[in-house]
Amino acid sequence: MIDLSKIEQYRENNRIEAKKALGGLPKSIWETYSAFANTLGGIILLGVEEDREHVLHTINLPDPERLVREFWEIVRNPKKASVNILAGRHVQVETIGGNRIIVITVPRAQRYDKPVYVEGNPFSGSYRRSGEGDYRCTREEVQSMFRDAAVQTQDMKVLEFLGTDALDWESVRRYRARTRQYRPGHAWEDLADPEFLRKLGAIGRGADGALHPTGAGLLMFGFAREIVREFPNYSLDYREYLGSDDAQVTDRIFSSSGGWSGNLYDFYFHVSERIARDIPLALRRRANGAEDATAVCRALGEALANCLVNADYYGQQGISAVKCRGMAVFSNPGAFRIEVEAAKSGGVSDPRNGALIRMFHLAGIGERMGGGIPNIYSVWKKLGWAPPVIEELFNPDRIKVSLPTQRSGGRTPGRGGAGKTAVHKAAMIVYLTDNVSGRTSDFAQLLGLKDARVRALLGELIAEGIVVQEGGRRYRVYKLKA
């Protein structure tokens, strides 16, 4: 992750923690171990200090091997750490500039190991990492990690306090009509509605022998007023900002309006039609405009479906979909269950709501689950559009996917311009998190922008106190501010 030979070029940040450790293992090392494991991973440097100028310097540890032995003894003690997620390669003694230091690389923990906590109590001993250091997790964050650690996906629970009257049978009727279109001759086609829903996993028998909705069935086909009885924070919200006034909402759909069912199935079709309806116009001058428009509309539908099936509906803030000029943004509660880079490359899937995925799949929606994100990147690259940006946010856990719908470097009026600027700046911050520094040319190549536009974006990041510049004009580089 870092080049130790250039250690003086790094700063402490959300992925790097430096500790002198001349008096032995610092007590705070365990909070940092928990924080890195529960967030994005990171590196703990022992025998390294940050001076007043926020420059890292090595300090020769007199007996690093003893500290390593002590570290392994403690991290393997379940009374200190709930789980040891480290292997031998993760703890190394290195020599930098004649000084011996210890480098502890803490990976991001697998979901079934979370929360990684210390001192025997998950609610007081679970930490996460932010730009300002380690912080103690809220009760909601800990509960979210416990839910994700479960073997059974959370949408399979039979909700025995609800009857099948909690479902909107008109939504079921529309769903079945679509499955007949996309799966003609399917083995379940002629089943009565209750048996069809039972096969689908939308209802199940409770201990009382009666049929009740499952979590997935309630979310997919239920009335919003019934859904919130199991998922109190449930909310679906779609907004368009396409008018001359950047702050004016020109179209809105939300689950609690009372004018429709408020369930996931109906929301998908209300939004997928709106989110893609002007895409053919944007592509009409291309040689393969019709083909490209179809690919973009399908990709936007996949992004929306991914947002819906990967949400933690017990989490905070609900589903949000926003469309503005040149931009579509989807966000949902819940953290990534796999590494973001693995999601981008495809072929790896760890669904939070497996039953919901099967329901959408039977209706011909989101058939590329696990491959949807790579497909979106492929389509966007082919069209020469600015690359999508995926952000994982914490406190509360949230996933945000921003999809520019125009060519790289193109100007976008109104709110869309602001949205695209935010996407570009987020991509630059991600780059500087994973690299020591960046030049204007690095960002221009990354974003497909001209140097003048990159310099303008960097100027905004500097003014916001996020980035600093170093060196003269010819050798100028940019780094995250300490």
Side-chain angles (χ1 to χ4, degrees), residues 38-239:
N38 289 328
T39 315
L40 301 173
I43 291 180
I44 302 172
L45 301 171
L46 301 183
V48 177
E49 67 173 345
E50 189 176 57
D51 63 21
R52 293 181 178 179
E53 302 300 321
H54 302 290
V55 176
L56 296 183
H57 296 284
T58 60
I59 301 171
N60 191 43
L61 292 174
D63 191 358
E65 288 78 11
R66 178 184 61 81
L67 290 181
V68 168
R69 290 193 299 271
E70 182 182 350
F71 177 84
W72 281 120
E73 181 179 344
I74 296 175
V75 79
R76 289 167 176 161
N77 181 354
K79 293 182 179 180
K80 169 58 74 171
S82 60
V83 62
N84 170 33
I85 63 170
L86 306 179
R89 68 182 184 279
H90 292 130
V91 182
Q92 299 291 329
V93 177
E94 303 283 352
T95 301
I96 308 298
N99 292 330
R100 303 179 75 205
I101 68 171
I102 298 172
V103 180
I104 302 173
T105 304
V106 182
R108 176 180 181 155
Q110 299 293 323
R111 65 172 176 83
Y112 44 77
D113 285 328
K114 292 181 181 178
V116 175
Y117 57 91
V118 296
E119 306 298 345
N121 188 327
F123 292 101
S124 63
S126 295
Y127 293 83
R128 272 188 168 160
R129 188 78 169 179
S130 71
E132 298 178 356
D134 306 328
Y135 71 89
R136 183 177 284 110
C137 292
T138 65
R139 176 170 288 272
E140 289 75 16
E141 287 179 286
V142 174
Q143 290 171 334
S144 175
M145 286 186 274
F146 273 129
R147 285 196 298 271
D148 276 346
V151 174
Q152 185 184 50
T153 61
Q154 57 185 251
D155 61 345
M156 289 299 294
K157 180 182 177 182
V158 176
L159 307 177
E160 297 190 28
F161 67 94
L162 291 174
T164 56
D165 59 347
L167 305 181
D168 176 15
W169 291 92
E170 283 300 306
S171 295
V172 174
R173 181 188 61 78
R174 289 189 291 271
Y175 177 85
R176 296 203 67 179
R178 183 177 173 89
T179 60
R180 291 187 184 100
Q181 176 186 356
Y182 280 84
R183 312 288 181 191
H186 192 275
W188 302 345
E189 187 174 292
D190 297 325
L191 295 176
D193 284 345
E195 183 61 16
F196 173 82
L197 292 180
R198 192 183 67 80
K199 292 278 190 182
L200 188 63
I203 60 176
R205 293 199 182 277
D208 58 359
L211 291 172
H212 303 274
T214 62
L218 182 66
L219 290 163
M220 192 73 165
F221 304 119
F223 290 104
R225 64 178 181 270
E226 302 291 345
I227 296 174
V228 296
R229 295 177 63 187
E230 173 63 19
F231 306 96
N233 296 316
Y234 176 80
S235 171
L236 308 175
D237 193 356
Y238 171 73
R239 302 185 189 205

Side-chain angles (χ1 to χ4, degrees), residues 424-438:
H424 287 153
K425 286 159 73 172
M428 295 164 81
I429 292 170
V430 170
Y431 180 90
L432 290 176
T433 299
D434 294 331
N435 296 272
V436 175
S437 62

Side-chain angles (χ1 to χ4, degrees), residues 323-476:
K323 179 182 178 180
C324 47
R325 296 186 187 278
M327 182 71 63
V329 181
F330 304 97
S331 64
N332 62 267
F336 266 107
R337 288 157 65 98
I338 59 175
E339 295 282 353
V340 175
E341 291 305 316
K344 290 180 181 179
S345 62
V348 179
S349 181
D350 185 11
R352 176 174 280 114
N353 299 298
L356 281 178
I357 288 180
R358 292 191 294 273
M359 291 176 187
F360 274 109
H361 178 81
L362 187 64
I365 302 167
E367 295 186 82
R368 304 174 72 101
M369 295 298 182
I373 292 178
N375 177 60
I376 293 169
Y377 274 87
S378 176
V379 171
W380 260 237
K381 182 177 181 180
K382 176 185 175 184
L383 294 175
W385 287 357
V389 173
I390 300 175
E391 299 174 76
E392 186 172 9
L393 310 174
F394 300 96
N395 194 22
D397 294 351
R398 198 158 187 83
I399 300 168
K400 180 179 177 182
V401 179
S402 301
L403 303 170
T405 51
Q406 65 174 33
R407 293 186 63 81
S408 300
R411 293 195 60 178
T412 306
R415 188 180 183 95
K420 186 165 185 179
T421 295
V423 170
H424 287 153
K425 286 159 73 172
M428 295 164 81
I429 292 170
V430 170
Y431 180 90
L432 290 176
T433 299
D434 294 331
N435 296 272
V436 175
S437 62
R439 298 179 181 275
T440 300
S441 57
D442 296 327
F443 298 118
Q445 182 177 2
L446 173 71
L447 301 174
L449 299 176
K450 294 182 178 180
D451 286 358
R453 178 57 182 153
V454 169
R455 284 192 289 270
L457 291 170
L458 287 166
E460 292 181 22
L461 289 170
I462 291 170
E464 293 166 13
I466 298 172
V467 168
V468 295
Q469 66 181 30
E470 296 180 2
R473 185 170 185 178
R474 185 176 178 182
Y475 301 101
R476 183 169 297 159

